[in-house]
Amino acid sequence: MKQKLTYLSLLILASIISQYNICKADIKSSLSLSHVDSIYINLVGKADSAIAQSNWTEAENALLNAMKEQPANPANVLLLSNLSMIQFQQGKDSLALNTINDAHIIAPKSITVLNNRARILKSMGLINEAYLTYEQILTIDSTLIEPRYMHGIIALSNKDITTAFSDFTILEKNAPTEELTLDGMALYYFHIQNFTKAIPYFNKLIEIN
């Protein structure tokens, strides 16, 4: 039975189509590219289905096999990023870090790759490296909520009150009702023992949960 193409599969297909310089009018005919491309797409679809069922071993094998089919495919950076998180889910932290580092070498400014890298680093206790990775993300896009929040949380844990306050006030300006904004401000004021200002943020968090 044919695999239903998921979002990741469609991204991979788009990448393959672009390699053939196919214009929009020819997209229909492009769906029957080559046998190798078909295997690649099917393996990505198999990985997607396995991920949806939390079948991490099957998903990992499918992605590895897809990359073996087309080792030079530029879309492999997406597969490497997903593979790192699959390995992370299985508790293979060191292997996951090596995988995401490979993806980072290929796409050093990919926010998805950097986010996954920061998450793995933080989980492994490599807090300073995670912090620097969040800084990289914010250099690329300063408006992102979760990286800004995590950058502020790590700064707060490092007693860098100035940076933490800067991060959380930026969040409050750009996304005042977001849960991470409220959490960041609440933790900041609690940390500096200004409970009068902390309580309203905690109250808002209670209201939305």
Side-chain angles (χ1 to χ4, degrees), residues 131 138 145 147-156 160-174 181 185:
Y131 182 78
L138 294 173
I145 294 172
R148 177 70 66 184
Y149 168 81
M150 292 306 304
H151 189 262
I153 289 294
I154 295 174
L156 194 63
D160 184 353
I161 304 299
T162 302
T163 298
F165 184 68
S166 174
D167 282 331
F168 298 141
T169 51
I170 288 171
L171 284 177
E172 189 165 44
K173 179 182 177 182
N174 295 335
T181 299
M185 293 302 291

Side-chain angles (χ1 to χ4, degrees), residues 73-136:
N73 194 313
N76 283 347
V77 67
L78 297 172
L79 272 59
L80 284 169
S81 184
N82 273 15
L83 178 61
S84 72
M85 299 315 294
I86 290 167
Q87 293 165 338
F88 178 69
Q89 288 289 343
Q90 297 178 85
K92 303 175 182 178
D93 291 357
S94 295
L95 183 58
L97 182 58
N98 287 337
T99 301
I100 200 64
N101 282 343
D102 288 342
H104 184 235
I105 290 169
I106 298 169
K109 293 186 177 181
S110 165
I111 289 174
T112 299
V113 170
L114 288 168
N115 260 323
N116 287 345
R117 186 170 187 270
R119 181 180 175 188
I120 294 168
L121 288 167
K122 186 174 180 295
S123 175
M124 294 178 70
L126 301 171
I127 306 300
N128 289 337
E129 288 186 53
Y131 182 78
L132 291 175
T133 303
Y134 284 122
E135 282 195 341
Q136 282 182 273

Side-chain angles (χ1 to χ4, degrees), residues 7 15 35 68 76 106 111 137 165 182 191 203 207:
Y7 179 65
S15 174
H35 179 63
K68 285 179 183 177
N76 283 347
I106 298 169
I111 289 174
I137 295 170
F165 184 68
L182 299 172
H191 186 84
N203 286 337
E207 288 174 9

Side-chain angles (χ1 to χ4, degrees), residues 185-186 189 194-202:
M185 293 302 291
Y189 283 119
N194 189 333
F195 304 121
T196 301
K197 287 193 173 182
I199 289 171
Y201 290 105
F202 281 119

